[in-house]
Amino acid sequence: QVQLVESGGGLVQAGGSLRLSCTASRNIFLLYAMGWYRQAPGKQRELVAVISSGGVINYVDSVKGRFTISRDNAKSTVYLQMNSLKPEDTAVYYCNADYGDGYLRYWGQGTQVTVSS
């Protein structure tokens, strides 16, 4: 079992920044892909950013150039730096750990991000 604990959400004005953190209960980054998902009210959960166990990074088009995913292996923590936030970024953000393309998956509890216009 792996526990994921997120922090860093909150309320920010449009154009502002937030940094989300997700700390894993054990060091899994060399085996698991780590991703950030979000779910807005009435919408499906979507993948925002992912970093593979090998360090390959991908973003959904809507956040490219604004969000940055990174990880600190020594701290077992993955980050999502969010800049130039927009009201449409408002959602609950979830940290995810994935091994073997869904063979094992773990989720954090979610953290609310609200961007006011």
Side-chain angles (χ1 to χ4, degrees):
Q1 278 285 350
V2 177
Q3 284 76 47
L4 303 174
V5 179
E6 299 129 337
S7 61
L11 173 63
V12 65
Q13 288 188 332
S17 299
L18 284 173
R19 189 177 79 156
L20 306 182
S21 300
C22 171
T23 299
S25 57
R26 54 189 178 92
N27 195 326
I28 59 172
F29 294 170
L30 297 183
L31 294 176
Y32 285 71
M34 300 300 298
W36 286 98
Y37 288 70
R38 66 186 178 187
Q39 188 166 20
K43 294 188 176 181
Q44 287 189 331
R45 190 173 295 190
E46 67 168 349
L47 177 62
V48 175
V50 63
I51 181 167
S52 74
S53 57
V56 177
I57 291 173
N58 283 288
Y59 300 97
V60 67
D61 286 346
S62 60
V63 307
K64 286 180 180 178
R66 300 189 298 123
F67 290 12
T68 303
I69 188 171
S70 62
R71 69 188 185 194
D72 186 329
N73 292 344
K75 295 182 178 180
S76 296
T77 300
V78 62
Y79 303 98
L80 186 67
Q81 178 67 44
M82 305 185 294
N83 299 328
S84 302
L85 283 161
K86 305 175 180 180
E88 50 264 43
D89 295 317
T90 295
V92 178
Y93 284 70
Y94 296 91
C95 178
N96 169 266
D98 184 290
Y99 175 78
D101 287 331
Y103 181 75
L104 291 173
R105 303 196 84 181
Y106 300 99
W107 293 93
Q109 80 282 3
T111 185
Q112 177 71 46
V113 171
T114 303
V115 184
S116 62
S117 57

